[in-house]
Amino acid sequence: MLFQGLITLQMKKLLFTVLLAGYSAFSPFSSAQTALEPFDSMQGWKTIQSADVSVSPSIVGTDEGKCMKLDINAPLAGFAGIQKNFALRFPLNYAFTYLLKTDLTNGTLEFTLSDKSGNPLYTYKKPFYSAMPEWNTITIKQKDLLGPWANPDIDRPAKQPEMISISLMLPPGSKGVVYIDELALVERVTPTGSYTNPTAFTSSSEKGFEAFRLFDKSLKSFWKSAGRQTREHVLVDFGETCEFGGLKIAWDSVMYAQEFTVSVSDNAKKWRELYSVKCGNNNISFIPVTDGEGRYIKLNLNKPNSKTGYIIKEIGMLPVQFSESMSKVYEEVKKMFPRGLFPAFFSNSPYSWKVFSAKNAVNFSAITENAELEIGSGSYLLEPFVYLDKQFITYAQSTDSTSGFADTAGSLKVSRTYLPCVVTVQPVIEDRDDTAYMHVAYTVKNTGNKSVHGSFSLAIRPFQVTGRNMFDGTIHGIGRIEELEFDGKRVDINKNFPLYPLVKPDRFGACEFNQGDVVLYLRNDSLPPDTKIKDAIGFASGALQYKLALKAGESKTFYFTVPVTTAFFDMAENNDKSYNEAYFRKIFKNFASKQQGILIKKP
């Protein structure tokens, strides 16, 4: 079996192409490691690139020796990479490893296995987002290589793969360097252990709160560290090598770890770090790992929230499937919370949405009957939440059958009734000569006979409207938010399309995935403390929040603007005085009735 898939290291994506081919005298039962390419010469390698991309290969020296260097320039979108023929034969269980570093970002890794004529037999594509400035060991296990046969030495296809191409699809304007070194084929011991009956050891334990309580499947008992040490550790022994996809750690609300790492080992001596957290939360930590294999796991608890130490209520091991995608991670997360805290597609119940776009827009946008608004295909979701008289209100609390779209035709207006209030959402597209803007009005009306007090929040989250596959029910509706920042005038989301509030919010807060989702703060009428955040795995969330005080029959409207074209006028930097409530009212009066969307229903 040859290459078709690659596994990522800590959810960071690979960036390269390695080319293989043919078969050799490699024994299928040989052990240890076979060095395939030390990258000390250019022999056998050639470059591949699209017409508008240039790539210059060279062998350069490092402190450790020599390696391959690729200088890539892509003024327009395209691909670049290298290829070479190899003669290989595979053991029964194996992995490829190599070292990689690069300053390129936001592309797609393409791995293609071809026959000797160069005809592609198998292709693997995987997006990557972040640069890797230091050497990363890339591990590609046999189980992660997709293909129609289980063992190439037994079930060979009609045409044998004899060439491997590793290339990088890049967005326009990409320019950078890729380094690769030490390509090897490693025979692997097949994991036979199970993580269902582990044994735990800790650096300290208070009497009555010993380590075995970490796996007793009860949140009423817990492990508690002894004394007031800043650093503690938890070591877990599975008895045999096993594979897992992640961990679920239930913390105490006060004595939790703000900073900790998760490492794995085969011998409890040499450790490999899988995951690092710099801003832990006091709820449940979901830790996805894409290379979880070993006999031992170690949690290094490096910074407590409380001076009294640490408490962990329970540790749960999660299957390999958990970390296959962030969609599956969120599928596990949402099980912990009631309906309404996450988008409608997570509930697997019927719902409808409308797709619409500006003539100059980069992508389509969409709005659901639950008032969830997707800005640009796959970008992010805007979701309204209301907290009134100490009650957190979501679409799940809708009390009126009239909630939803204003009509079944093209109108984009959505209303949700939550007694005693009605929340109405209406997006409007304003097309200009070469730019376009989406203006959104959120109106909260008190239809009761008493005054109400609370807050209105607009959440910004890494989700999509069309989140669940209509045919097989699988979830794929996850976007990416790597950066969120509010400077008092606008919210920058991934430094692409900003969000402009007409009126400055009373509060703004953002959090990393490791701190929990922003909705977990909103349900307590609070916000994360940070106004600027970076999330290494790209699943940050945040919210703007406004105080509400509505008399009986009173309403309040909140206006927002999002540019939906790559070129736009920055309203914040240019102090656009025309950007006021009168302007919004004019826009909605002139354009709201003309806005049309295409209705789609999920059965």
Side-chain angles (χ1 to χ4, degrees), residues 155-221:
D155 304 315
R156 291 180 175 175
K159 288 187 176 182
Q160 275 294 336
E162 299 190 39
M163 177 181 290
I164 295 180
S165 303
I166 303 176
S167 60
L168 201 63
M169 280 295 299
L170 296 169
S174 297
K175 186 176 182 180
V177 181
V178 177
Y179 297 91
I180 188 170
D181 201 6
E182 297 183 12
L183 175 64
L185 177 62
V186 181
E187 183 179 15
R188 296 177 60 243
V189 176
T190 302
T192 57
S194 170
Y195 55 71
T196 58
N197 190 29
T199 302
F201 305 89
T202 55
S203 51
S204 73
S205 295
E206 196 167 293
K207 187 176 181 180
F209 304 98
E210 293 80 9
F212 74 88
R213 302 178 189 277
L214 290 166
F215 292 95
D216 65 1
K217 299 181 180 180
S218 172
L219 294 177
K220 294 181 179 180
S221 64

Side-chain angles (χ1 to χ4, degrees), residues 442-517:
Y442 293 87
T443 301
V444 183
K445 183 175 182 179
N446 180 5
T447 58
N449 54 16
K450 295 181 180 180
S451 297
V452 294
H453 298 80
S455 62
F456 168 80
S457 299
L458 185 63
I460 306 163
R461 304 169 78 191
F463 299 127
Q464 301 169 356
V465 162
T466 55
R468 194 179 286 269
N469 189 296
M470 286 187 175
F471 301 101
D472 61 16
T474 57
I475 286 181
H476 54 78
I478 307 297
R480 285 189 66 84
I481 300 180
E482 295 183 8
E483 297 185 46
L484 269 178
E485 179 180 2
F486 181 59
D487 63 3
K489 295 182 179 180
R490 72 185 216 180
V491 181
D492 279 314
I493 305 161
N494 292 336
K495 297 183 178 179
N496 290 329
F497 299 138
L499 171 68
Y500 297 95
L502 174 62
V503 177
K504 183 179 178 179
D506 295 300
R507 294 193 296 172
F508 174 84
C511 55
E512 297 181 29
F513 173 79
N514 291 323
Q515 293 173 282
D517 191 279

Side-chain angles (χ1 to χ4, degrees), residues 510-569:
C511 55
E512 297 181 29
F513 173 79
N514 291 323
Q515 293 173 282
D517 191 279
V518 70
V519 74
L520 304 182
Y521 294 83
L522 295 179
R523 67 175 181 167
N524 295 316
D525 200 28
S526 66
L527 282 173
D530 297 310
T531 58
K532 180 179 180 180
I533 205 79
K534 286 187 177 181
D535 191 325
I537 61 175
F539 301 102
S541 58
L544 304 103
Q545 191 173 83
Y546 298 84
K547 295 178 181 178
L548 274 181
L550 300 176
K551 297 178 181 179
E554 187 180 7
S555 64
K556 187 171 181 60
T557 299
F558 304 91
Y559 294 101
F560 302 88
T561 295
V562 180
V564 291
T565 49
T566 52
F568 58 87
F569 181 81

Side-chain angles (χ1 to χ4, degrees), residues 56 162 401:
S56 300
E162 299 190 39
S401 61

Side-chain angles (χ1 to χ4, degrees), residues 428-449:
V428 169
I429 295 292
E430 179 192 7
D431 272 309
R432 300 183 183 179
D433 292 337
D434 56 356
T435 61
Y437 302 85
M438 182 193 300
H439 308 293
V440 192
Y442 293 87
T443 301
V444 183
K445 183 175 182 179
N446 180 5
T447 58
N449 54 16

